[in-house]
Amino acid sequence: MAALGGGVLDAYPPTLIGRLRARLPAWLDARAAALVQAARQGGELDATAQGVLAEQVAALCRELAGEAA
């Protein structure tokens, strides 16, 4: 996933991963539905789409980190 390769998770503790995995599908469905649908249909996502998904992962990480504080 672009977020992993882009280092999005590097700033967060490993304990965040479980909560991220639990909430990510609904988060992406609500915020990037067209991209999720394209990925599900087997379409290759261009760099822009991958960047959008990575930013959405980062946004969820920030929210989860704020909840933990």
Side-chain angles (χ1 to χ4, degrees):
M1 168 178 238
L4 290 174
V8 170
L9 303 176
D10 291 353
Y12 300 99
T15 56
L16 183 89
I17 302 303
R19 293 184 300 139
L20 176 66
R21 290 182 63 196
R23 291 197 32 202
L24 187 59
W27 180 275
L28 291 177
D29 285 344
R31 289 165 180 82
L35 296 178
V36 170
Q37 185 61 27
R40 282 185 180 144
Q41 292 176 347
E44 189 166 326
L45 301 178
D46 63 20
T48 301
Q50 290 179 18
V52 169
L53 290 177
E55 177 48 41
Q56 287 302 320
V57 172
L60 179 54
C61 285
R62 289 189 298 270
E63 181 170 303
L64 293 172
E67 290 174 2

Short mmCIF file of all heavy atoms in Angstrom, two decimals:
data_model
loop_
_atom_site.label_atom_id
_atom_site.label_comp_id
_atom_site.label_asym_id
_atom_site.label_seq_id
_atom_site.Cartn_x
_atom_site.Cartn_y
_atom_site.Cartn_z
N MET A 1 0.84 -1.18 0.00
CA MET A 1 0.00 0.00 0.00
C MET A 1 0.89 1.24 0.00
O MET A 1 1.94 1.27 0.62
CB MET A 1 -0.92 -0.05 1.22
CG MET A 1 -1.64 1.23 1.50
SD MET A 1 -2.74 1.10 2.91
CE MET A 1 -4.23 1.52 2.08
N ALA A 2 0.44 2.26 -0.68
CA ALA A 2 1.21 3.49 -0.81
C ALA A 2 1.52 4.12 0.54
O ALA A 2 2.59 4.71 0.73
CB ALA A 2 0.46 4.48 -1.69
N ALA A 3 0.63 3.99 1.48
CA ALA A 3 0.85 4.60 2.80
C ALA A 3 2.04 3.95 3.51
O ALA A 3 2.82 4.63 4.16
CB ALA A 3 -0.40 4.49 3.66
N LEU A 4 2.17 2.66 3.36
CA LEU A 4 3.31 1.97 3.99
C LEU A 4 4.61 2.38 3.33
O LEU A 4 5.58 2.71 4.00
CB LEU A 4 3.13 0.45 3.90
CG LEU A 4 2.04 -0.15 4.76
CD1 LEU A 4 1.88 -1.62 4.46
CD2 LEU A 4 2.33 0.06 6.22
N GLY A 5 4.63 2.34 2.02
CA GLY A 5 5.83 2.70 1.28
C GLY A 5 6.19 4.16 1.45
O GLY A 5 7.36 4.53 1.40
N GLY A 6 5.18 5.00 1.67
CA GLY A 6 5.40 6.43 1.83
C GLY A 6 5.76 6.84 3.24
O GLY A 6 5.95 8.02 3.52
N GLY A 7 5.83 5.88 4.16
CA GLY A 7 6.22 6.19 5.52
C GLY A 7 5.14 6.83 6.38
O GLY A 7 5.44 7.38 7.43
N VAL A 8 3.90 6.74 5.94
CA VAL A 8 2.80 7.37 6.68
C VAL A 8 2.72 6.86 8.12
O VAL A 8 2.45 7.62 9.04
CB VAL A 8 1.45 7.13 5.95
CG1 VAL A 8 0.27 7.56 6.79
CG2 VAL A 8 1.45 7.86 4.62
N LEU A 9 2.99 5.59 8.32
CA LEU A 9 2.85 5.00 9.65
C LEU A 9 4.09 5.14 10.52
O LEU A 9 4.05 4.82 11.71
CB LEU A 9 2.48 3.52 9.52
CG LEU A 9 1.20 3.22 8.73
CD1 LEU A 9 1.00 1.73 8.60
CD2 LEU A 9 0.00 3.88 9.36
N ASP A 10 5.16 5.62 9.96
CA ASP A 10 6.44 5.68 10.69
C ASP A 10 6.36 6.48 11.99
O ASP A 10 7.06 6.17 12.95
CB ASP A 10 7.54 6.27 9.81
CG ASP A 10 7.93 5.34 8.67
OD1 ASP A 10 7.44 4.18 8.64
OD2 ASP A 10 8.70 5.77 7.80
N ALA A 11 5.54 7.50 12.03
CA ALA A 11 5.48 8.37 13.20
C ALA A 11 4.58 7.84 14.31
O ALA A 11 4.46 8.46 15.37
CB ALA A 11 4.99 9.76 12.79
N TYR A 12 3.95 6.70 14.07
CA TYR A 12 2.95 6.19 15.02
C TYR A 12 3.42 4.89 15.65
O TYR A 12 4.11 4.09 15.03
CB TYR A 12 1.61 6.00 14.32
CG TYR A 12 1.11 7.29 13.74
CD1 TYR A 12 1.27 7.59 12.39
CD2 TYR A 12 0.50 8.24 14.56
CE1 TYR A 12 0.84 8.80 11.87
CE2 TYR A 12 0.08 9.45 14.03
CZ TYR A 12 0.24 9.72 12.70
OH TYR A 12 -0.17 10.92 12.18
N PRO A 13 2.99 4.65 16.90
CA PRO A 13 3.40 3.42 17.58
C PRO A 13 2.70 2.20 16.98
O PRO A 13 1.59 2.30 16.45
CB PRO A 13 2.94 3.64 19.02
CG PRO A 13 1.80 4.59 18.91
CD PRO A 13 2.14 5.49 17.74
N PRO A 14 3.32 1.06 17.05
CA PRO A 14 2.72 -0.17 16.52
C PRO A 14 1.36 -0.48 17.15
O PRO A 14 0.54 -1.14 16.52
CB PRO A 14 3.74 -1.26 16.86
CG PRO A 14 5.04 -0.54 17.00
CD PRO A 14 4.69 0.81 17.54
N THR A 15 1.11 -0.01 18.35
CA THR A 15 -0.17 -0.28 19.01
C THR A 15 -1.33 0.38 18.27
O THR A 15 -2.48 -0.02 18.46
CB THR A 15 -0.14 0.22 20.46
OG1 THR A 15 0.21 1.61 20.47
CG2 THR A 15 0.86 -0.56 21.29
N LEU A 16 -1.06 1.33 17.41
CA LEU A 16 -2.11 2.00 16.64
C LEU A 16 -2.64 1.12 15.50
O LEU A 16 -3.77 1.30 15.05
CB LEU A 16 -1.54 3.31 16.07
CG LEU A 16 -2.50 4.18 15.29
CD1 LEU A 16 -3.19 5.14 16.26
CD2 LEU A 16 -1.75 4.97 14.24
N ILE A 17 -1.84 0.17 15.06
CA ILE A 17 -2.16 -0.61 13.87
C ILE A 17 -3.47 -1.39 14.00
O ILE A 17 -4.27 -1.42 13.06
CB ILE A 17 -1.00 -1.57 13.51
CG1 ILE A 17 0.28 -0.79 13.27
CG2 ILE A 17 -1.35 -2.43 12.30
CD1 ILE A 17 0.20 0.26 12.20
N GLY A 18 -3.72 -1.99 15.13
CA GLY A 18 -4.97 -2.75 15.30
C GLY A 18 -6.19 -1.87 15.13
O GLY A 18 -7.15 -2.24 14.44
N ARG A 19 -6.16 -0.70 15.75
CA ARG A 19 -7.30 0.21 15.61
C ARG A 19 -7.40 0.76 14.19
O ARG A 19 -8.49 0.94 13.66
CB ARG A 19 -7.19 1.36 16.62
CG ARG A 19 -7.36 0.85 18.05
CD ARG A 19 -7.35 1.95 19.09
NE ARG A 19 -6.07 2.67 19.03
CZ ARG A 19 -5.96 4.00 19.14
NH1 ARG A 19 -7.00 4.74 19.32
NH2 ARG A 19 -4.77 4.56 19.09
N LEU A 20 -6.26 0.99 13.56
CA LEU A 20 -6.25 1.46 12.17
C LEU A 20 -6.89 0.42 11.26
O LEU A 20 -7.75 0.75 10.44
CB LEU A 20 -4.81 1.75 11.73
CG LEU A 20 -4.62 2.15 10.28
CD1 LEU A 20 -5.28 3.49 9.99
CD2 LEU A 20 -3.15 2.20 9.92
N ARG A 21 -6.49 -0.83 11.42
CA ARG A 21 -7.05 -1.90 10.60
C ARG A 21 -8.56 -2.04 10.79
O ARG A 21 -9.29 -2.33 9.84
CB ARG A 21 -6.36 -3.22 10.91
CG ARG A 21 -4.92 -3.25 10.41
CD ARG A 21 -4.26 -4.57 10.68
NE ARG A 21 -4.97 -5.62 9.93
CZ ARG A 21 -4.83 -6.90 10.17
NH1 ARG A 21 -4.04 -7.32 11.12
NH2 ARG A 21 -5.50 -7.79 9.46
N ALA A 22 -9.02 -1.84 12.01
CA ALA A 22 -10.45 -1.99 12.29
C ALA A 22 -11.27 -0.86 11.66
O ALA A 22 -12.39 -1.09 11.19
CB ALA A 22 -10.68 -2.03 13.79
N ARG A 23 -10.72 0.34 11.65
CA ARG A 23 -11.50 1.49 11.19
C ARG A 23 -11.26 1.91 9.75
O ARG A 23 -12.06 2.64 9.18
CB ARG A 23 -11.23 2.68 12.11
CG ARG A 23 -11.82 2.42 13.49
CD ARG A 23 -12.01 3.57 14.39
NE ARG A 23 -12.30 4.84 13.84
CZ ARG A 23 -12.08 5.99 14.48
NH1 ARG A 23 -11.57 5.97 15.70
NH2 ARG A 23 -12.38 7.14 13.93
N LEU A 24 -10.17 1.44 9.15
CA LEU A 24 -9.80 1.91 7.82
C LEU A 24 -10.84 1.63 6.74
O LEU A 24 -11.14 2.52 5.94
CB LEU A 24 -8.43 1.35 7.43
CG LEU A 24 -7.85 1.89 6.13
CD1 LEU A 24 -7.67 3.39 6.19
CD2 LEU A 24 -6.52 1.20 5.83
N PRO A 25 -11.41 0.44 6.65
CA PRO A 25 -12.38 0.21 5.57
C PRO A 25 -13.55 1.21 5.57
O PRO A 25 -13.88 1.79 4.53
CB PRO A 25 -12.86 -1.23 5.81
CG PRO A 25 -11.71 -1.87 6.52
CD PRO A 25 -11.16 -0.79 7.42
N ALA A 26 -14.16 1.42 6.70
CA ALA A 26 -15.29 2.36 6.77
C ALA A 26 -14.82 3.79 6.51
O ALA A 26 -15.53 4.57 5.86
CB ALA A 26 -15.98 2.27 8.14
N TRP A 27 -13.63 4.12 7.00
CA TRP A 27 -13.07 5.46 6.78
C TRP A 27 -12.90 5.73 5.28
O TRP A 27 -13.31 6.76 4.77
CB TRP A 27 -11.73 5.56 7.52
CG TRP A 27 -11.02 6.87 7.40
CD1 TRP A 27 -10.19 7.26 6.40
CD2 TRP A 27 -11.08 7.97 8.32
NE1 TRP A 27 -9.72 8.52 6.64
CE2 TRP A 27 -10.24 8.98 7.80
CE3 TRP A 27 -11.74 8.18 9.52
CZ2 TRP A 27 -10.06 10.19 8.46
CZ3 TRP A 27 -11.56 9.39 10.17
CH2 TRP A 27 -10.73 10.38 9.65
N LEU A 28 -12.30 4.77 4.58
CA LEU A 28 -12.09 4.95 3.15
C LEU A 28 -13.40 4.92 2.38
O LEU A 28 -13.56 5.68 1.41
CB LEU A 28 -11.13 3.88 2.61
CG LEU A 28 -9.68 4.00 3.08
CD1 LEU A 28 -8.85 2.85 2.52
CD2 LEU A 28 -9.08 5.34 2.71
N ASP A 29 -14.32 4.07 2.78
CA ASP A 29 -15.63 4.05 2.11
C ASP A 29 -16.32 5.40 2.21
O ASP A 29 -16.97 5.85 1.27
CB ASP A 29 -16.53 2.96 2.70
CG ASP A 29 -16.16 1.57 2.26
OD1 ASP A 29 -15.40 1.42 1.27
OD2 ASP A 29 -16.61 0.61 2.92
N ALA A 30 -16.15 6.08 3.33
CA ALA A 30 -16.81 7.37 3.55
C ALA A 30 -16.07 8.52 2.87
O ALA A 30 -16.70 9.52 2.51
CB ALA A 30 -16.93 7.65 5.05
N ARG A 31 -14.76 8.41 2.69
CA ARG A 31 -13.98 9.55 2.23
C ARG A 31 -13.34 9.39 0.86
O ARG A 31 -12.88 10.37 0.28
CB ARG A 31 -12.90 9.87 3.26
CG ARG A 31 -13.51 10.45 4.52
CD ARG A 31 -12.54 10.43 5.68
NE ARG A 31 -13.15 11.00 6.88
CZ ARG A 31 -13.95 10.35 7.69
NH1 ARG A 31 -14.28 9.09 7.42
NH2 ARG A 31 -14.46 10.94 8.76
N ALA A 32 -13.29 8.18 0.36
CA ALA A 32 -12.67 7.93 -0.94
C ALA A 32 -13.37 6.78 -1.65
O ALA A 32 -12.74 5.87 -2.19
CB ALA A 32 -11.19 7.63 -0.75
N ALA A 33 -14.69 6.83 -1.65
CA ALA A 33 -15.50 5.71 -2.16
C ALA A 33 -15.17 5.36 -3.61
O ALA A 33 -15.10 4.18 -3.96
CB ALA A 33 -16.98 6.03 -2.00
N ALA A 34 -14.98 6.35 -4.46
CA ALA A 34 -14.71 6.07 -5.87
C ALA A 34 -13.38 5.34 -6.03
O ALA A 34 -13.27 4.42 -6.86
CB ALA A 34 -14.71 7.36 -6.67
N LEU A 35 -12.40 5.72 -5.26
CA LEU A 35 -11.10 5.05 -5.34
C LEU A 35 -11.17 3.63 -4.80
O LEU A 35 -10.56 2.71 -5.36
CB LEU A 35 -10.04 5.85 -4.58
CG LEU A 35 -9.73 7.23 -5.14
CD1 LEU A 35 -8.72 7.95 -4.27
CD2 LEU A 35 -9.26 7.15 -6.57
N VAL A 36 -11.92 3.45 -3.73
CA VAL A 36 -12.11 2.10 -3.18
C VAL A 36 -12.79 1.22 -4.21
O VAL A 36 -12.38 0.07 -4.44
CB VAL A 36 -12.92 2.15 -1.87
CG1 VAL A 36 -13.33 0.76 -1.41
CG2 VAL A 36 -12.12 2.87 -0.78
N GLN A 37 -13.81 1.74 -4.85
CA GLN A 37 -14.53 0.97 -5.87
C GLN A 37 -13.62 0.62 -7.04
O GLN A 37 -13.63 -0.51 -7.53
CB GLN A 37 -15.75 1.74 -6.37
CG GLN A 37 -16.62 0.96 -7.32
CD GLN A 37 -17.20 -0.30 -6.71
OE1 GLN A 37 -17.40 -0.40 -5.51
NE2 GLN A 37 -17.47 -1.28 -7.53
N ALA A 38 -12.81 1.56 -7.48
CA ALA A 38 -11.88 1.30 -8.58
C ALA A 38 -10.89 0.20 -8.20
O ALA A 38 -10.59 -0.69 -9.00
CB ALA A 38 -11.14 2.58 -8.96
N ALA A 39 -10.39 0.25 -6.98
CA ALA A 39 -9.45 -0.78 -6.52
C ALA A 39 -10.13 -2.14 -6.43
O ALA A 39 -9.54 -3.16 -6.80
CB ALA A 39 -8.87 -0.38 -5.17
N ARG A 40 -11.37 -2.15 -5.98
CA ARG A 40 -12.10 -3.43 -5.87
C ARG A 40 -12.35 -4.05 -7.24
O ARG A 40 -12.43 -5.26 -7.37
CB ARG A 40 -13.43 -3.20 -5.16
CG ARG A 40 -13.29 -3.06 -3.68
CD ARG A 40 -14.63 -2.95 -2.99
NE ARG A 40 -14.44 -2.81 -1.57
CZ ARG A 40 -15.19 -2.08 -0.79
NH1 ARG A 40 -16.23 -1.42 -1.28
NH2 ARG A 40 -14.94 -1.99 0.50
N GLN A 41 -12.50 -3.20 -8.25
CA GLN A 41 -12.76 -3.69 -9.59
C GLN A 41 -11.48 -4.10 -10.31
O GLN A 41 -11.50 -4.47 -11.48
CB GLN A 41 -13.51 -2.65 -10.41
CG GLN A 41 -14.91 -2.42 -9.91
CD GLN A 41 -15.63 -1.31 -10.65
OE1 GLN A 41 -15.04 -0.54 -11.40
NE2 GLN A 41 -16.94 -1.21 -10.44
N GLY A 42 -10.38 -4.01 -9.60
CA GLY A 42 -9.12 -4.46 -10.16
C GLY A 42 -8.40 -3.40 -10.98
O GLY A 42 -7.39 -3.69 -11.60
N GLY A 43 -8.92 -2.20 -10.96
CA GLY A 43 -8.26 -1.13 -11.70
C GLY A 43 -6.98 -0.70 -11.02
O GLY A 43 -6.87 -0.73 -9.80
N GLU A 44 -6.00 -0.34 -11.83
CA GLU A 44 -4.75 0.13 -11.27
C GLU A 44 -4.91 1.60 -10.94
O GLU A 44 -5.40 2.39 -11.76
CB GLU A 44 -3.62 -0.07 -12.27
CG GLU A 44 -2.27 0.20 -11.65
CD GLU A 44 -1.14 -0.32 -12.51
OE1 GLU A 44 -1.32 -1.34 -13.17
OE2 GLU A 44 -0.09 0.33 -12.51
N LEU A 45 -4.51 1.98 -9.74
CA LEU A 45 -4.63 3.35 -9.29
C LEU A 45 -3.38 4.12 -9.68
O LEU A 45 -2.26 3.66 -9.44
CB LEU A 45 -4.84 3.41 -7.78
CG LEU A 45 -6.08 2.68 -7.26
CD1 LEU A 45 -6.15 2.79 -5.74
CD2 LEU A 45 -7.34 3.24 -7.89
N ASP A 46 -3.58 5.31 -10.25
CA ASP A 46 -2.43 6.13 -10.62
C ASP A 46 -1.81 6.77 -9.38
O ASP A 46 -2.32 6.62 -8.27
CB ASP A 46 -2.82 7.18 -11.67
CG ASP A 46 -3.86 8.17 -11.17
OD1 ASP A 46 -4.04 8.34 -9.95
OD2 ASP A 46 -4.49 8.83 -12.03
N ALA A 47 -0.73 7.47 -9.58
CA ALA A 47 0.01 8.06 -8.45
C ALA A 47 -0.85 9.05 -7.69
O ALA A 47 -0.76 9.13 -6.46
CB ALA A 47 1.28 8.73 -8.96
N THR A 48 -1.69 9.79 -8.37
CA THR A 48 -2.57 10.75 -7.70
C THR A 48 -3.55 10.04 -6.79
O THR A 48 -3.74 10.42 -5.63
CB THR A 48 -3.33 11.62 -8.72
OG1 THR A 48 -2.36 12.31 -9.53
CG2 THR A 48 -4.25 12.61 -8.05
N ALA A 49 -4.17 8.99 -7.28
CA ALA A 49 -5.13 8.22 -6.49
C ALA A 49 -4.44 7.57 -5.29
O ALA A 49 -4.97 7.56 -4.18
CB ALA A 49 -5.81 7.17 -7.35
N GLN A 50 -3.25 7.04 -5.51
CA GLN A 50 -2.50 6.44 -4.41
C GLN A 50 -2.16 7.49 -3.36
O GLN A 50 -2.21 7.21 -2.16
CB GLN A 50 -1.22 5.78 -4.93
CG GLN A 50 -1.50 4.53 -5.74
CD GLN A 50 -0.23 3.90 -6.27
OE1 GLN A 50 0.87 4.17 -5.81
NE2 GLN A 50 -0.38 3.05 -7.27
N GLY A 51 -1.85 8.69 -3.80
CA GLY A 51 -1.57 9.78 -2.87
C GLY A 51 -2.78 10.15 -2.05
O GLY A 51 -2.67 10.42 -0.83
N VAL A 52 -3.95 10.16 -2.67
CA VAL A 52 -5.19 10.46 -1.95
C VAL A 52 -5.43 9.39 -0.89
O VAL A 52 -5.78 9.71 0.25
CB VAL A 52 -6.39 10.56 -2.93
CG1 VAL A 52 -7.70 10.60 -2.18
CG2 VAL A 52 -6.24 11.78 -3.82
N LEU A 53 -5.26 8.15 -1.26
CA LEU A 53 -5.45 7.07 -0.28
C LEU A 53 -4.45 7.16 0.86
O LEU A 53 -4.81 6.99 2.03
CB LEU A 53 -5.36 5.71 -0.97
CG LEU A 53 -6.52 5.36 -1.90
CD1 LEU A 53 -6.27 4.02 -2.58
CD2 LEU A 53 -7.84 5.35 -1.17
N ALA A 54 -3.21 7.46 0.53
CA ALA A 54 -2.19 7.60 1.58
C ALA A 54 -2.54 8.75 2.51
O ALA A 54 -2.37 8.63 3.73
CB ALA A 54 -0.81 7.82 0.95
N GLU A 55 -3.05 9.85 1.97
CA GLU A 55 -3.44 10.98 2.82
C GLU A 55 -4.62 10.61 3.71
O GLU A 55 -4.69 11.02 4.87
CB GLU A 55 -3.77 12.21 1.99
CG GLU A 55 -4.24 13.39 2.79
CD GLU A 55 -3.37 13.75 4.00
OE1 GLU A 55 -2.14 13.71 3.90
OE2 GLU A 55 -3.94 14.06 5.07
N GLN A 56 -5.53 9.81 3.21
CA GLN A 56 -6.66 9.38 4.04
C GLN A 56 -6.18 8.46 5.16
O GLN A 56 -6.69 8.55 6.28
CB GLN A 56 -7.73 8.71 3.18
CG GLN A 56 -8.50 9.68 2.33
CD GLN A 56 -9.18 10.75 3.16
OE1 GLN A 56 -9.72 10.49 4.23
NE2 GLN A 56 -9.14 11.97 2.67
N VAL A 57 -5.23 7.60 4.88
CA VAL A 57 -4.66 6.76 5.93
C VAL A 57 -3.99 7.65 6.98
O VAL A 57 -4.16 7.45 8.19
CB VAL A 57 -3.66 5.73 5.36
CG1 VAL A 57 -2.92 5.00 6.47
CG2 VAL A 57 -4.39 4.74 4.46
N ALA A 58 -3.25 8.66 6.52
CA ALA A 58 -2.58 9.58 7.44
C ALA A 58 -3.59 10.33 8.29
O ALA A 58 -3.39 10.53 9.49
CB ALA A 58 -1.70 10.56 6.66
N ALA A 59 -4.70 10.75 7.68
CA ALA A 59 -5.73 11.48 8.42
C ALA A 59 -6.34 10.60 9.51
O ALA A 59 -6.56 11.05 10.64
CB ALA A 59 -6.81 11.98 7.47
N LEU A 60 -6.60 9.34 9.19
CA LEU A 60 -7.13 8.43 10.20
C LEU A 60 -6.10 8.20 11.30
O LEU A 60 -6.46 8.17 12.49
CB LEU A 60 -7.55 7.12 9.57
CG LEU A 60 -8.11 6.05 10.52
CD1 LEU A 60 -9.26 6.59 11.36
CD2 LEU A 60 -8.51 4.81 9.74
N CYS A 61 -4.84 8.06 10.95
CA CYS A 61 -3.79 7.88 11.96
C CYS A 61 -3.77 9.08 12.91
O CYS A 61 -3.66 8.90 14.13
CB CYS A 61 -2.43 7.72 11.29
SG CYS A 61 -2.17 6.12 10.54
N ARG A 62 -3.86 10.28 12.36
CA ARG A 62 -3.88 11.47 13.21
C ARG A 62 -5.06 11.46 14.16
O ARG A 62 -4.94 11.78 15.34
CB ARG A 62 -3.88 12.74 12.35
CG ARG A 62 -2.57 13.01 11.64
CD ARG A 62 -2.54 14.37 10.98
NE ARG A 62 -3.55 14.55 9.95
CZ ARG A 62 -3.38 14.26 8.67
NH1 ARG A 62 -2.23 13.77 8.23
NH2 ARG A 62 -4.35 14.48 7.80
N GLU A 63 -6.22 11.06 13.64
CA GLU A 63 -7.41 11.00 14.49
C GLU A 63 -7.24 9.96 15.59
O GLU A 63 -7.54 10.22 16.77
CB GLU A 63 -8.65 10.68 13.67
CG GLU A 63 -9.91 10.64 14.51
CD GLU A 63 -11.16 10.56 13.68
OE1 GLU A 63 -11.39 11.43 12.83
OE2 GLU A 63 -11.93 9.60 13.91
N LEU A 64 -6.77 8.79 15.24
CA LEU A 64 -6.57 7.74 16.23
C LEU A 64 -5.52 8.14 17.27
O LEU A 64 -5.70 7.85 18.46
CB LEU A 64 -6.16 6.44 15.55
CG LEU A 64 -7.24 5.79 14.67
CD1 LEU A 64 -6.64 4.62 13.90
CD2 LEU A 64 -8.43 5.37 15.48
N ALA A 65 -4.47 8.78 16.84
CA ALA A 65 -3.44 9.23 17.77
C ALA A 65 -4.01 10.28 18.72
O ALA A 65 -3.68 10.29 19.92
CB ALA A 65 -2.24 9.79 17.02
N GLY A 66 -4.88 11.13 18.23
CA GLY A 66 -5.52 12.13 19.08
C GLY A 66 -6.45 11.50 20.10
O GLY A 66 -6.54 11.98 21.23
N GLU A 67 -7.12 10.44 19.71
CA GLU A 67 -8.00 9.73 20.65
C GLU A 67 -7.19 9.09 21.77
O GLU A 67 -7.67 8.97 22.89
CB GLU A 67 -8.80 8.65 19.90
CG GLU A 67 -9.85 9.20 18.97
CD GLU A 67 -10.51 8.12 18.15
OE1 GLU A 67 -10.18 6.92 18.33
OE2 GLU A 67 -11.35 8.46 17.31
N ALA A 68 -6.00 8.65 21.45
CA ALA A 68 -5.17 7.95 22.43
C ALA A 68 -4.52 8.93 23.42
O ALA A 68 -4.10 8.53 24.48
CB ALA A 68 -4.09 7.14 21.74
N ALA A 69 -4.46 10.20 23.03
CA ALA A 69 -3.78 11.19 23.88
C ALA A 69 -4.61 11.58 25.08
O ALA A 69 -5.75 11.39 25.22
CB ALA A 69 -3.46 12.43 23.05
#
